[in-house]
Every structure is written in structure tokens, then in C-alpha cells.
Amino acid sequence: MLAGKPVLNHSGLPEFVFRVFTTIPEFQVLLFLLFLLLYLMIICGNTAIIWVVCTHSSLRTPMYFFLCNLSFLEICYTSVVVPLMLSNIFGAQTPIALAGCGAQMFFFVTLGSTDCFLLAVMAYDRYVAICHPLHYSLIMTPKLCIQMVLGSLGLALFLSLQLTTLIFTLPFCGHHREINHFLCDVPPVLRLACADTHVHQAVLYVVGILVLAVPFLLICVSYAFIASTILRMRSAEGRRRAFSTCSSHLTVVLLRYGCCSLVYLRPRSSSSEDEDRQIALVYTFVTPLLNPLIYTLRNKDVKGALRNALLNKAASDTS
């Protein structure tokens, strides 16, 4: 093996390696510690939300049910990517087999798509709560909430299975196996194929429209009705609470859909592999971290439940 070069298996199924962020040891240590810290914050923050929602009866409402599922998705979503990313950050470039790359892509696309669908479901929940408050409990029944979560997951599974299967029927050239990314995402893997990928690019755009454009349009329609209803409210306190809740959700929505659209819906001719990798860092680390931060720092109910839980824990430890 040549110094600093991975050995690739040219005789059997193709293997892939990820391009390193940097070859400078000091920067590698800093990046490892930074990404590890962000990952631990994501795990701890989202786990705290799940724990609080599941242990406090006052938070057992549709909105917090969806938030709990969103937090669980964020944990799984980052766990599919970050551990392998951390293991490769020091430049070892451990090869990943074709099947492993396909599995990572499938779970990454599935969880990311479910996340996007669930954000649209949460927008619908806010629409019903604000625009039809008297019928909220009749519309947002526990059965409907479960069906919407399972429907989001089922649709994401179907789309990601079709997309991943289509991509990994392509032949991959032996001398083009270094992925200019930190995960097996769809665009960088497509660039390694040594065959015509116009059909695959078209399918990717169709899936991108279904996962990103359609839910985002539904969210915009929901919030147009919400904004109209809020502006007609007579109570200043009611308007403030409604705007606070909705702005938190919109912050996550705009960051998630904006970054993903730049990667998956932008024409290939105007895209850059390095830019895609930088943008992917945002929706891999920033949005999963913003989820617990926004919904705890800007939500009085969650903050109150967390405060009570910590006080009860401290009281039980001292007694």
C-alpha cells in the first residue's frame, strides 16, 4: 500500500472512500472534537425532549407528539452519518463496501424525507390549532396523529427504496471511487457512475420535488391561513403566543428546506461538489441541533416541564 493511499478492491465489488476534510493533523483534531461535541449535543438535546414529552402528562398533545417523533428522527438521522464520519476524519479513509454505501444512502434519504414530511404535518397541526381551535381535539385525534407519522415514514421508505435501488444498478468505474463528501449522498455517488445518468438525475429531481417542494408548498399555504387568523386576533397576548410558536417551526423549516433544495434541486451545471459538502454540514449538524434549542428556549411549556423535572431530580437526590 502506498503511503497515505487506501487500497481499493478492483477485483470484486467496488468500494468507496470519503475525501478527507484536511490533511493537517491539528485541524483534524479540532474538527473531530467540534463534530463530536455537536453530535453529543444533538443526542442529549433531542433525548431530553423525548424524555420530557413522554414523562409529563401536560405535554401529551398532538404538537408535542410530533415534536417527540421529530427529535427521534434527528437522533437516528445524525447517527447514520456522524459515527462513520468521525472514524474517517483523521485521513485513514477506511473503505466502505458497495452494500454499506447503499445502506447508508437508503437510511439517510428515508430519515431525511420523513423529517421533511413531518415538518409539513406539524404545520397542518398548527393550522388546525390556530384556525379551528374549537374543533382541534375532534380533528387531531390520537389515531390521526399516528396515521400521519406512519404515512410520512411509509412514503419516505417507498421513495428512498426506489431511488437507492435505481442508483446502485449503475456501474461504477474502478478509478473513480473517492466520494467528495462525508457520506454516501445521492449527488456525489451519481458523479462516480461510468454510465449515462440523465434518467437517474431526472428521478432525483422528481423525488426532490415530492420530498421538498410539495411539503414546503403545503407549509406555505398553512402559514398563510395561520397569519391571516393571527392578525385578526383581538388579544395581543394570543397573537404573541401564536407568533412565537409558529416562528420556531418556521425557523427549522426554512433552514431544512432551503439547504436541501440547494443540494437536490439545483441544476448540476451550477452545483459544486465542495459547496454541496459544506451545505450538507448544515442539515447534518445545525438543523438537528436547532430543533431542541428552538423548541426548549422558545417554548414556555417545555421549559417549565424541564425546570420541574430538574427540581424534582435535585430534591430526590438530596432526600
Side-chain angles (χ1 to χ4, degrees), residues 212-234:
L212 297 170
V214 173
F216 184 70
L217 179 61
L218 295 175
I219 291 172
C220 290
V221 171
S222 297
Y223 274 97
F225 285 109
I226 289 172
S228 176
T229 302
I230 290 175
L231 292 174
R232 293 198 304 267
M233 288 181 177
R234 295 182 179 180

Side-chain angles (χ1 to χ4, degrees), residues 17-274:
V17 292
F18 302 112
R19 183 168 296 179
V20 296
F21 285 96
T22 178
T23 56
I24 302 174
E26 293 79 6
F27 286 168
Q28 289 175 343
V29 173
L30 287 175
L31 285 176
F32 180 86
L33 294 176
L34 174 62
F35 292 149
L36 178 61
L37 177 62
L38 290 173
Y39 179 57
L40 293 176
M41 290 173 65
I42 290 169
I43 298 297
C44 294
N46 284 286
T47 301
I49 287 182
I50 296 172
W51 174 68
V52 168
V53 172
C54 292
T55 56
H56 288 76
S57 57
S58 61
L59 300 181
R60 289 173 189 169
T61 63
M63 183 177 78
Y64 295 110
F65 171 74
F66 295 133
L67 178 58
C68 186
N69 281 275
L70 183 65
S71 294
F72 178 72
L73 279 175
E74 302 288 22
I75 292 173
C76 298
Y77 179 79
T78 52
S79 296
V80 167
V81 176
V82 179
L84 182 60
M85 174 186 174
L86 291 175
S87 69
N88 285 287
I89 208 166
F90 288 107
Q93 288 186 288
T94 305
I96 181 172
L98 183 72
C101 189
Q104 187 186 55
M105 180 184 293
F106 171 74
F107 286 112
F108 180 77
V109 175
T110 297
L111 294 168
S113 301
T114 307
D115 201 318
C116 291
F117 293 141
L118 192 56
L119 288 173
V121 168
M122 293 174 72
Y124 175 72
D125 171 70
R126 291 299 84 207
Y127 159 75
V128 177
I130 294 173
C131 299
H132 303 283
L134 299 179
H135 300 93
Y136 181 72
S137 59
L138 297 176
I139 297 174
M140 300 302 296
T141 61
K143 181 179 179 181
L144 179 62
C145 293
I146 294 173
Q147 287 175 339
M148 287 194 290
V149 171
L150 292 178
S152 299
L153 178 60
L155 182 56
L157 281 168
F158 173 76
L159 293 174
S160 60
L161 180 61
Q162 303 302 312
L163 182 61
T164 306
T165 303
L166 182 65
I167 289 173
F168 281 90
T169 57
L170 285 167
F172 295 97
C173 302
H175 56 286
H176 284 152
R177 294 181 185 171
E178 184 181 62
I179 302 176
N180 187 14
H181 214 295
F182 54 86
L183 74 144
C184 288
D185 204 359
V186 180
V189 171
L190 269 181
R191 291 188 180 101
L192 301 182
C194 50
D196 181 39
T197 60
H198 284 89
V199 173
H200 303 77
Q201 292 285 359
V203 172
L204 175 60
Y205 284 131
V206 171
V207 173
I209 289 171
L210 292 175
V211 172
L212 297 170
V214 173
F216 184 70
L217 179 61
L218 295 175
I219 291 172
C220 290
V221 171
S222 297
Y223 274 97
F225 285 109
I226 289 172
S228 176
T229 302
I230 290 175
L231 292 174
R232 293 198 304 267
M233 288 181 177
R234 295 182 179 180
S235 168
E237 177 63 21
R239 286 198 301 269
R240 188 194 65 77
R241 286 186 58 121
F243 270 123
S244 177
T245 301
C246 294
S247 62
S248 300
H249 183 242
L250 276 176
T251 303
V252 177
V253 165
L254 292 175
L255 197 58
R256 163 71 70 181
Y257 286 94
C259 292
C260 291
S261 296
L262 285 175
V263 173
Y264 298 105
L265 297 180
R266 187 172 51 171
R268 289 296 96 194
S269 58
S270 64
S271 66
S272 161
E273 293 183 60
D274 291 331

Side-chain angles (χ1 to χ4, degrees), residues 312-319:
N312 291 336
K313 176 66 176 175
S316 63
D317 290 340
T318 55
S319 61

Side-chain angles (χ1 to χ4, degrees), residues 52 295-309:
V52 168
Y295 284 106
T296 53
L297 295 179
R298 301 197 61 181
N299 190 296
K300 186 170 67 175
D301 295 333
V302 176
K303 283 194 295 185
L306 275 172
R307 189 184 304 112
N308 292 335

